[in-house]
Coordinates of all heavy atoms in Angstrom, one line a residue:
M1 N -9.5 9.6 -11.0 CA -8.1 9.1 -10.9 C -8.2 7.7 -11.5 O -8.9 7.0 -11.1 CB -7.7 9.2 -9.4 CG -6.3 8.8 -9.3 SD -5.8 8.9 -7.5 CE -5.3 10.5 -7.5
T2 N -7.2 7.4 -12.4 CA -7.2 6.1 -13.0 C -6.6 5.2 -12.0 O -5.9 5.5 -11.0 CB -6.3 6.1 -14.3 OG1 -5.0 6.4 -13.9 CG2 -6.9 7.1 -15.3
D3 N -6.9 3.9 -12.1 CA -6.2 2.8 -11.3 C -4.8 2.9 -11.2 O -4.1 2.7 -10.1 CB -6.8 1.5 -11.7 CG -8.3 1.3 -11.5 OD1 -8.9 2.0 -10.6 OD2 -8.9 0.5 -12.2
H4 N -4.1 3.2 -12.4 CA -2.7 3.2 -12.4 C -2.2 4.3 -11.5 O -1.2 4.2 -10.8 CB -2.2 3.3 -13.9 CG -0.7 3.5 -14.0 ND1 0.2 2.5 -13.8 CD2 0.0 4.6 -14.3 CE1 1.4 2.9 -13.9 NE2 1.3 4.2 -14.3
V5 N -2.8 5.5 -11.6 CA -2.4 6.6 -10.8 C -2.7 6.3 -9.3 O -1.8 6.7 -8.5 CB -3.2 7.9 -11.3 CG1 -2.9 9.0 -10.4 CG2 -2.8 8.2 -12.7
V6 N -3.7 5.6 -9.0 CA -4.0 5.3 -7.5 C -2.8 4.5 -7.0 O -2.4 4.6 -6.0 CB -5.3 4.6 -7.5 CG1 -5.5 3.9 -6.1 CG2 -6.5 5.5 -7.7
L7 N -2.5 3.4 -7.7 CA -1.4 2.5 -7.4 C 0.0 3.3 -7.2 O 0.7 3.1 -6.3 CB -1.2 1.3 -8.2 CG -2.4 0.3 -8.2 CD1 -2.1 -0.9 -9.1 CD2 -2.6 -0.2 -6.7
E8 N 0.2 4.1 -8.2 CA 1.4 4.9 -8.1 C 1.4 5.9 -6.9 O 2.5 6.0 -6.2 CB 1.6 5.8 -9.4 CG 2.9 6.7 -9.5 CD 4.1 5.9 -9.2 OE1 4.2 4.6 -9.6 OE2 5.1 6.4 -8.6
E9 N 0.2 6.5 -6.6 CA 0.1 7.4 -5.5 C 0.4 6.5 -4.1 O 1.0 7.0 -3.3 CB -1.2 7.9 -5.4 CG -1.4 8.9 -4.3 CD -1.3 10.4 -4.8 OE1 -1.1 10.6 -6.0 OE2 -1.4 11.3 -4.0
L10 N -0.1 5.3 -4.1 CA 0.1 4.4 -3.0 C 1.5 4.0 -2.8 O 2.1 4.0 -1.8 CB -0.8 3.1 -3.1 CG -0.7 2.1 -2.0 CD1 -1.1 2.8 -0.6 CD2 -1.7 1.0 -2.2
R11 N 2.1 3.7 -3.9 CA 3.7 3.5 -3.9 C 4.4 4.7 -3.5 O 5.3 4.5 -2.7 CB 4.1 3.0 -5.4 CG 5.5 3.0 -5.7 CD 6.3 1.9 -4.8 NE 5.9 0.6 -5.1 CZ 5.9 -0.4 -4.1 NH1 6.4 -0.1 -3.0 NH2 5.4 -1.6 -4.5
Q12 N 4.0 5.8 -3.8 CA 4.7 7.1 -3.3 C 4.5 7.1 -1.8 O 5.5 7.4 -1.1 CB 4.3 8.3 -4.0 CG 4.7 8.4 -5.5 CD 4.1 9.7 -6.1 OE1 3.4 10.5 -5.5 NE2 4.3 9.8 -7.4
A13 N 3.3 6.9 -1.3 CA 3.1 6.9 0.1 C 3.9 5.9 0.9 O 4.5 6.1 2.0 CB 1.7 6.7 0.4
I14 N 4.1 4.7 0.3 CA 4.9 3.6 0.9 C 6.4 4.1 0.9 O 7.0 4.0 2.0 CB 4.7 2.4 0.1 CG1 3.4 1.8 0.3 CG2 5.8 1.3 0.6 CD1 3.0 0.6 -0.5
D15 N 6.9 4.7 -0.2 CA 8.2 5.2 -0.2 C 8.5 6.2 0.9 O 9.5 6.2 1.6 CB 8.6 5.8 -1.6 CG 8.7 4.8 -2.7 OD1 8.8 3.5 -2.4 OD2 8.6 5.1 -3.8
E16 N 7.5 7.1 1.1 CA 7.6 8.2 2.0 C 7.5 7.5 3.5 O 8.4 8.0 4.4 CB 6.5 9.1 1.9 CG 6.5 10.0 0.6 CD 5.2 10.7 0.4 OE1 4.4 10.8 1.3 OE2 5.1 11.4 -0.7
A17 N 6.8 6.6 3.7 CA 6.8 5.9 5.1 C 8.1 5.3 5.4 O 8.5 5.4 6.5 CB 5.7 4.9 5.1
F18 N 8.8 4.7 4.4 CA 10.1 4.1 4.7 C 11.2 5.0 4.8 O 12.0 4.8 5.6 CB 10.4 3.0 3.6 CG 9.7 1.7 3.8 CD1 8.5 1.5 3.3 CD2 10.4 0.7 4.6 CE1 7.8 0.3 3.5 CE2 9.7 -0.4 4.9 CZ 8.5 -0.8 4.3
G19 N 11.2 6.1 4.0 CA 12.1 7.2 4.2 C 13.6 6.8 4.6 O 14.2 7.3 5.5
G20 N 14.1 5.8 3.9 CA 15.5 5.2 4.2 C 15.6 4.2 5.3 O 16.6 3.8 5.5
R21 N 14.4 3.9 5.8 CA 14.4 2.8 6.8 C 14.1 1.5 6.2 O 13.5 1.3 5.1 CB 13.4 3.1 7.9 CG 13.7 4.5 8.7 CD 12.7 4.7 9.7 NE 11.5 5.1 9.1 CZ 10.3 5.3 9.6 NH1 10.3 5.0 11.0 NH2 9.3 5.6 9.0
D22 N 14.6 0.3 6.9 CA 14.4 -1.0 6.4 C 13.0 -1.5 6.8 O 12.4 -2.3 6.0 CB 15.5 -1.9 6.9 CG 16.8 -1.7 6.3 OD1 16.9 -1.1 5.2 OD2 17.8 -1.9 7.0
R23 N 12.5 -1.1 7.9 CA 11.2 -1.6 8.4 C 10.4 -0.5 9.0 O 11.0 0.4 9.6 CB 11.3 -2.8 9.4 CG 12.2 -4.0 8.9 CD 12.3 -5.0 9.9 NE 11.1 -5.8 10.1 CZ 10.6 -6.7 9.2 NH1 11.2 -6.9 8.1 NH2 9.4 -7.4 9.5
V24 N 9.1 -0.6 8.8 CA 8.2 0.4 9.4 C 6.9 -0.3 9.8 O 6.6 -1.4 9.3 CB 7.8 1.5 8.3 CG1 9.0 2.3 7.9 CG2 7.0 1.0 7.1
S25 N 6.2 0.3 10.8 CA 4.9 -0.3 11.1 C 3.9 0.1 10.1 O 4.0 1.0 9.4 CB 4.5 0.3 12.5 OG 4.1 1.7 12.3
I26 N 2.8 -0.7 10.0 CA 1.7 -0.5 9.2 C 1.1 0.8 9.4 O 0.5 1.6 8.5 CB 0.7 -1.6 9.1 CG1 0.0 -1.7 7.7 CG2 -0.2 -1.7 10.3 CD1 0.9 -1.8 6.5
R27 N 1.1 1.3 10.8 CA 0.5 2.6 11.1 C 1.3 3.7 10.5 O 0.7 4.7 10.0 CB 0.5 2.8 12.6 CG -0.5 1.9 13.3 CD -0.4 2.1 14.8 NE -1.3 1.1 15.4 CZ -2.1 1.4 16.5 NH1 -2.2 2.6 16.8 NH2 -2.8 0.5 17.0
E28 N 2.6 3.6 10.3 CA 3.3 4.6 9.6 C 3.0 4.7 8.1 O 3.0 5.7 7.5 CB 4.9 4.3 9.8 CG 5.3 4.5 11.3 CD 6.8 4.0 11.5 OE1 7.0 2.7 11.4 OE2 7.6 4.9 11.7
V29 N 2.8 3.5 7.6 CA 2.3 3.4 6.1 C 1.1 4.1 6.0 O 0.8 4.9 5.1 CB 2.4 2.0 5.5 CG1 1.9 2.0 4.2 CG2 3.8 1.4 5.6
Y30 N 0.1 3.8 6.9 CA -1.2 4.4 6.9 C -1.1 5.9 7.0 O -1.8 6.6 6.3 CB -2.2 3.8 7.9 CG -3.6 4.3 7.8 CD1 -4.5 3.5 7.0 CD2 -4.0 5.5 8.4 CE1 -5.8 4.0 6.9 CE2 -5.3 5.9 8.2 CZ -6.2 5.2 7.5 OH -7.5 5.6 7.3
A31 N -0.3 6.4 7.9 CA -0.2 7.9 8.2 C 0.4 8.6 6.9 O -0.1 9.6 6.5 CB 0.8 8.1 9.4
A32 N 1.3 7.9 6.2 CA 1.9 8.5 4.9 C 0.8 8.6 3.9 O 0.6 9.4 3.2 CB 3.1 7.8 4.6
A33 N 0.1 7.4 3.8 CA -0.9 7.3 2.8 C -2.1 8.3 3.0 O -2.6 8.8 2.0 CB -1.5 5.8 2.7
S34 N -2.4 8.5 4.3 CA -3.6 9.4 4.6 C -3.3 10.8 4.2 O -4.1 11.6 4.0 CB -4.0 9.2 6.0 OG -3.1 9.7 6.8
E35 N -2.0 11.1 4.1 CA -1.6 12.5 3.7 C -1.8 12.7 2.2 O -1.8 13.9 1.7 CB -0.1 12.8 4.1 CG 0.0 12.9 5.6 CD 1.4 13.2 6.0 OE1 2.2 13.5 5.2 OE2 1.7 13.0 7.2
H36 N -2.0 11.6 1.5 CA -2.1 11.8 0.0 C -3.6 11.9 -0.3 O -4.5 11.0 -0.2 CB -1.6 10.5 -0.7 CG -0.1 10.5 -0.8 ND1 0.5 10.8 -2.0 CD2 0.9 10.3 0.2 CE1 1.8 10.7 -1.8 NE2 2.0 10.4 -0.6
L37 N -4.1 13.1 -0.4 CA -5.5 13.5 -0.6 C -6.2 12.8 -1.7 O -7.4 12.6 -1.8 CB -5.6 15.0 -0.6 CG -5.1 15.7 0.5 CD1 -5.3 17.2 0.3 CD2 -5.8 15.3 1.8
N38 N -5.4 12.3 -2.7 CA -6.0 11.7 -3.9 C -6.3 10.3 -3.8 O -6.8 9.6 -4.6 CB -5.1 12.0 -5.2 CG -5.1 13.4 -5.5 OD1 -6.1 14.2 -5.4 ND2 -4.0 14.0 -6.0
L39 N -5.7 9.7 -2.7 CA -6.0 8.2 -2.5 C -7.5 8.1 -1.9 O -7.8 8.6 -0.9 CB -5.0 7.7 -1.4 CG -3.7 7.3 -2.0 CD1 -2.7 6.8 -0.9 CD2 -3.7 6.2 -3.1
P40 N -8.2 7.2 -2.6 CA -9.6 7.0 -2.2 C -9.7 6.2 -0.8 O -8.8 5.5 -0.5 CB -10.1 6.2 -3.3 CG -9.2 5.9 -4.3 CD -8.0 6.6 -3.9
A41 N -10.7 6.4 -0.2 CA -10.9 5.8 1.2 C -10.8 4.3 1.1 O -10.3 3.6 2.0 CB -12.2 6.2 1.9
D42 N -11.3 3.7 0.1 CA -11.3 2.2 -0.1 C -9.9 1.7 -0.2 O -9.5 0.6 0.2 CB -12.2 1.7 -1.3 CG -11.8 2.3 -2.7 OD1 -11.3 3.4 -2.7 OD2 -12.1 1.6 -3.6
V43 N -9.0 2.5 -0.8 CA -7.5 2.1 -0.9 C -6.9 2.2 0.5 O -6.0 1.3 0.8 CB -6.8 2.9 -1.9 CG1 -5.3 2.7 -1.9 CG2 -7.3 2.7 -3.4
L44 N -7.2 3.2 1.2 CA -6.7 3.3 2.6 C -7.2 2.1 3.4 O -6.5 1.7 4.4 CB -7.1 4.6 3.2 CG -6.5 5.9 2.7 CD1 -7.1 7.1 3.3 CD2 -5.0 5.8 2.8
A45 N -8.4 1.7 3.1 CA -9.0 0.6 3.9 C -8.1 -0.7 3.7 O -8.2 -1.5 4.6 CB -10.5 0.4 3.5
Y46 N -7.5 -0.8 2.6 CA -6.6 -2.0 2.4 C -5.7 -2.1 3.6 O -5.3 -3.2 4.1 CB -5.8 -2.0 1.1 CG -6.6 -1.9 -0.2 CD1 -6.0 -1.5 -1.3 CD2 -7.9 -2.3 -0.3 CE1 -6.7 -1.4 -2.4 CE2 -8.6 -2.3 -1.3 CZ -8.1 -1.8 -2.5 OH -8.7 -1.9 -3.7
L47 N -5.1 -0.9 4.0 CA -4.0 -0.9 5.0 C -4.7 -1.3 6.4 O -4.0 -1.9 7.3 CB -3.4 0.5 5.1 CG -2.7 1.0 3.9 CD1 -2.3 2.4 4.0 CD2 -1.6 0.0 3.5
N48 N -5.9 -1.1 6.6 CA -6.6 -1.4 7.8 C -6.7 -2.9 8.0 O -6.9 -3.4 9.0 CB -8.1 -0.8 7.9 CG -7.9 0.6 8.3 OD1 -7.0 1.2 8.9 ND2 -8.9 1.5 7.7
E49 N -6.7 -3.7 6.8 CA -6.8 -5.1 6.9 C -5.5 -5.8 7.2 O -5.5 -7.0 7.3 CB -7.4 -5.6 5.5 CG -8.8 -5.1 5.2 CD -9.4 -5.7 4.0 OE1 -9.1 -6.9 3.7 OE2 -10.2 -5.0 3.4
L50 N -4.4 -5.1 7.2 CA -3.1 -5.7 7.4 C -2.9 -5.8 8.9 O -3.2 -4.9 9.7 CB -2.0 -4.9 6.8 CG -2.1 -4.7 5.3 CD1 -1.0 -3.8 4.8 CD2 -2.2 -6.0 4.6
P51 N -2.2 -6.9 9.4 CA -2.0 -7.0 10.8 C -0.9 -6.0 11.3 O 0.0 -5.7 10.5 CB -1.4 -8.5 11.0 CG -1.7 -9.2 9.6 CD -2.0 -8.0 8.6
E52 N -1.0 -5.6 12.5 CA 0.0 -4.8 13.1 C 1.3 -5.4 13.1 O 1.4 -6.6 13.0 CB -0.4 -4.5 14.6 CG -1.6 -3.6 14.7 CD -1.4 -2.1 14.2 OE1 -0.3 -1.5 14.4 OE2 -2.4 -1.6 13.6
G53 N 2.3 -4.6 13.0 CA 3.7 -5.1 13.0 C 4.6 -4.3 12.1 O 4.2 -3.4 11.4
A54 N 5.8 -4.7 12.1 CA 6.8 -4.1 11.3 C 7.0 -4.9 10.0 O 7.0 -6.1 10.0 CB 8.2 -4.0 12.1
Y55 N 7.0 -4.1 8.9 CA 7.2 -4.8 7.6 C 8.4 -4.1 6.9 O 8.7 -3.0 7.1 CB 5.9 -4.4 6.8 CG 4.7 -5.0 7.2 CD1 3.9 -4.5 8.3 CD2 4.2 -6.1 6.5 CE1 2.7 -5.0 8.7 CE2 2.9 -6.6 6.9 CZ 2.2 -6.1 8.0 OH 1.0 -6.7 8.4
D56 N 9.0 -4.9 6.0 CA 9.9 -4.3 5.0 C 9.1 -4.0 3.7 O 7.9 -4.4 3.7 CB 11.1 -5.2 4.7 CG 10.9 -6.5 4.1 OD1 9.7 -6.7 3.3 OD2 11.6 -7.5 4.3
R57 N 9.7 -3.4 2.7 CA 9.0 -3.0 1.5 C 8.3 -4.1 0.9 O 7.2 -4.1 0.4 CB 9.9 -2.3 0.5 CG 10.2 -0.9 1.0 CD 11.2 -0.3 -0.1 NE 11.8 0.9 0.5 CZ 11.3 2.2 0.2 NH1 10.3 2.2 -0.8 NH2 11.9 3.2 0.7
Q58 N 9.0 -5.2 0.7 CA 8.5 -6.4 0.0 C 7.3 -7.0 0.7 O 6.3 -7.3 0.1 CB 9.6 -7.5 -0.1 CG 9.1 -8.7 -0.9 CD 8.9 -8.5 -2.4 OE1 9.5 -7.6 -3.0 NE2 7.7 -9.0 -2.8
E59 N 7.4 -7.0 2.0 CA 6.3 -7.6 2.8 C 5.0 -6.7 2.8 O 3.9 -7.2 2.6 CB 6.7 -7.7 4.3 CG 7.8 -8.8 4.6 CD 8.3 -8.7 5.9 OE1 8.4 -7.6 6.4 OE2 8.9 -9.7 6.3
V60 N 5.3 -5.3 2.8 CA 4.1 -4.4 2.7 C 3.5 -4.6 1.3 O 2.2 -4.7 1.2 CB 4.5 -2.9 2.8 CG1 3.4 -2.0 2.4 CG2 4.8 -2.6 4.3
T61 N 4.3 -4.6 0.3 CA 3.7 -4.8 -1.0 C 2.9 -6.0 -1.2 O 1.8 -6.1 -1.7 CB 5.0 -4.7 -2.2 OG1 5.5 -3.5 -2.0 CG2 4.4 -4.9 -3.5
E62 N 3.5 -7.1 -0.7 CA 2.8 -8.4 -0.9 C 1.5 -8.5 -0.1 O 0.5 -8.9 -0.5 CB 3.7 -9.6 -0.6 CG 3.1 -11.0 -0.8 CD 2.5 -11.1 -2.3 OE1 3.1 -10.7 -3.2 OE2 1.5 -11.7 -2.4
A63 N 1.6 -7.8 1.1 CA 0.4 -7.9 2.0 C -0.8 -7.1 1.3 O -1.9 -7.5 1.3 CB 0.7 -7.4 3.4
I64 N -0.4 -5.9 0.8 CA -1.4 -5.1 0.0 C -2.0 -5.8 -1.1 O -3.2 -5.9 -1.4 CB -0.8 -3.7 -0.3 CG1 -0.6 -2.9 0.9 CG2 -1.9 -3.0 -1.2 CD1 0.2 -1.6 0.8
N65 N -1.1 -6.4 -1.9 CA -1.5 -7.3 -3.0 C -2.5 -8.4 -2.6 O -3.4 -8.7 -3.3 CB -0.3 -7.8 -3.9 CG 0.3 -6.7 -4.7 OD1 -0.2 -5.6 -4.9 ND2 1.6 -6.9 -5.0
Q66 N -2.2 -9.0 -1.4 CA -3.0 -10.1 -1.0 C -4.4 -9.6 -0.7 O -5.4 -10.2 -0.9 CB -2.4 -10.8 0.2 CG -1.2 -11.6 -0.1 CD -0.6 -12.2 1.2 OE1 -1.0 -11.9 2.3 NE2 0.4 -13.0 1.0
V67 N -4.6 -8.3 -0.1 CA -5.8 -7.8 0.2 C -6.5 -7.5 -1.2 O -7.8 -7.8 -1.3 CB -5.7 -6.4 1.0 CG1 -7.0 -5.7 1.0 CG2 -5.1 -6.7 2.3
I68 N -5.9 -7.0 -2.1 CA -6.4 -6.6 -3.5 C -7.0 -8.0 -4.0 O -8.1 -8.0 -4.6 CB -5.4 -6.0 -4.3 CG1 -5.0 -4.5 -3.8 CG2 -6.0 -5.9 -5.8 CD1 -4.0 -3.9 -4.5
R69 N -6.2 -9.1 -4.0 CA -6.6 -10.4 -4.5 C -7.9 -10.8 -3.8 O -8.7 -11.4 -4.4 CB -5.5 -11.4 -4.4 CG -4.4 -11.2 -5.5 CD -3.4 -12.3 -5.4 NE -2.2 -11.9 -6.1 CZ -1.0 -11.5 -5.6 NH1 -0.9 -11.4 -4.3 NH2 0.1 -11.1 -6.3
R70 N -7.7 -10.8 -2.5 CA -8.8 -11.4 -1.6 C -10.2 -10.6 -1.9 O -11.2 -11.2 -1.9 CB -8.4 -11.1 -0.1 CG -9.5 -11.8 0.9 CD -9.0 -11.8 2.3 NE -8.4 -10.6 2.8 CZ -7.1 -10.4 3.1 NH1 -6.2 -11.4 2.9 NH2 -6.7 -9.3 3.6
R71 N -10.1 -9.3 -2.2 CA -11.3 -8.5 -2.6 C -11.7 -8.7 -4.1 O -12.7 -8.2 -4.6 CB -11.1 -7.1 -2.4 CG -10.9 -6.6 -1.0 CD -10.7 -5.2 -0.8 NE -10.8 -4.7 0.5 CZ -11.1 -3.5 0.8 NH1 -11.3 -2.6 -0.1 NH2 -11.1 -3.1 2.0
G72 N -10.8 -9.4 -4.9 CA -11.1 -9.7 -6.3 C -11.0 -8.5 -7.1 O -11.6 -8.4 -8.2
E73 N -10.1 -7.5 -6.7 CA -9.9 -6.3 -7.5 C -8.6 -6.2 -8.3 O -8.4 -5.2 -8.9 CB -10.0 -5.1 -6.5 CG -11.3 -5.0 -5.7 CD -11.3 -4.0 -4.7 OE1 -10.3 -3.4 -4.4 OE2 -12.4 -3.6 -4.2
Q74 N -8.0 -7.4 -8.4 CA -6.7 -7.4 -9.2 C -6.9 -7.1 -10.7 O -6.1 -6.5 -11.3 CB -5.9 -8.6 -9.0 CG -6.6 -9.9 -9.6 CD -7.5 -10.6 -8.6 OE1 -7.9 -10.0 -7.6 NE2 -7.9 -11.8 -8.8
E75 N -8.1 -7.5 -11.2 CA -8.3 -7.2 -12.6 C -8.7 -5.7 -12.9 O -8.2 -5.1 -13.8 CB -9.4 -8.1 -13.1 CG -9.0 -9.6 -13.2 CD -7.9 -10.0 -14.0 OE1 -7.8 -9.3 -15.1 OE2 -7.0 -10.8 -13.6
S76 N -9.4 -5.2 -12.0 CA -9.9 -3.8 -12.1 C -8.8 -2.7 -11.6 O -8.6 -1.7 -12.3 CB -11.3 -3.5 -11.4 OG -11.1 -3.7 -10.0
L77 N -8.2 -3.1 -10.5 CA -7.2 -2.1 -9.9 C -5.8 -2.4 -10.4 O -5.0 -1.5 -10.6 CB -7.3 -2.2 -8.5 CG -6.4 -1.1 -7.6 CD1 -6.8 0.2 -8.0 CD2 -6.6 -1.4 -6.1
G78 N -5.5 -3.7 -10.5 CA -4.1 -4.1 -10.7 C -3.4 -4.4 -9.4 O -4.2 -4.4 -8.3
L79 N -2.1 -4.7 -9.4 CA -1.4 -5.0 -8.2 C -0.1 -4.0 -8.2 O 0.3 -3.5 -9.2 CB -0.8 -6.4 -8.3 CG -1.9 -7.5 -8.2 CD1 -1.4 -8.9 -8.5 CD2 -2.7 -7.5 -6.9
L80 N 0.4 -3.8 -7.0 CA 1.6 -3.1 -6.8 C 2.7 -3.9 -7.3 O 2.8 -5.1 -7.1 CB 1.8 -2.8 -5.3 CG 0.9 -1.8 -4.6 CD1 1.1 -1.8 -3.1 CD2 1.1 -0.4 -5.2
D81 N 3.6 -3.2 -8.0 CA 4.8 -3.8 -8.5 C 5.8 -4.1 -7.2 O 5.8 -3.3 -6.3 CB 5.6 -2.9 -9.4 CG 4.8 -2.7 -10.6 OD1 4.1 -3.6 -11.1 OD2 5.0 -1.6 -11.3
S82 N 6.5 -5.1 -7.3 CA 7.5 -5.4 -6.3 C 8.6 -4.4 -6.3 O 9.0 -3.9 -7.3 CB 8.1 -6.9 -6.5 OG 7.1 -7.8 -6.4
P83 N 9.1 -4.0 -5.1 CA 10.1 -3.1 -5.0 C 11.4 -3.6 -5.6 O 11.6 -4.8 -5.5 CB 10.2 -2.7 -3.5 CG 9.5 -3.9 -2.8 CD 8.5 -4.6 -3.7
D84 N 12.2 -2.6 -6.0 CA 13.5 -3.0 -6.7 C 14.5 -3.4 -5.5 O 14.5 -2.9 -4.5 CB 14.0 -1.9 -7.5 CG 13.1 -1.6 -8.7 OD1 12.3 -2.5 -9.0 OD2 13.1 -0.4 -9.1

């Protein structure tokens, strides 16, 4: 699976977690992401690094991007696009 596809799959999982809601817990995002069998465990681990609490789409996206940057993987993996 290419990095672009991994990020797209993660974006789909985030969209599913929100399902028309403004805020969700990081556990809900993790639950949606874990249903995507093509997401590698290391990508799911990004979500484990996020503090508990409710997030809006922008906050989730930025928090995941911060984890990617902290791990130094922004060049190899890329970053999630900001939600529209």
Side-chain angles (χ1 to χ4, degrees):
M1 182 178 276
T2 67
D3 295 335
H4 176 71
V5 173
V6 167
L7 289 180
E8 182 55 34
E9 186 101 5
L10 182 55
R11 169 60 61 208
Q12 288 175 6
I14 292 168
D15 289 345
E16 291 167 12
F18 276 91
R21 297 178 290 167
D22 291 333
R23 298 185 77 74
V24 298
S25 72
I26 203 60
R27 288 179 189 226
E28 292 171 291
V29 175
Y30 188 92
S34 65
E35 292 179 13
H36 285 254
L37 300 178
N38 293 325
L39 280 176
D42 59 332
V43 172
L44 292 175
Y46 298 160
L47 301 175
N48 287 330
E49 293 186 33
L50 302 181
E52 291 292 324
Y55 292 79
D56 65 25
R57 285 177 190 263
Q58 182 66 37
E59 291 167 336
V60 166
T61 299
E62 186 51 39
I64 293 169
N65 285 341
Q66 287 176 359
V67 171
I68 293 169
R69 286 184 195 102
R70 187 170 46 248
R71 290 179 170 207
E73 297 175 348
Q74 66 274 18
E75 295 298 322
S76 61
L77 181 63
L79 297 170
L80 288 170
D81 294 329
S82 293
D84 297 332

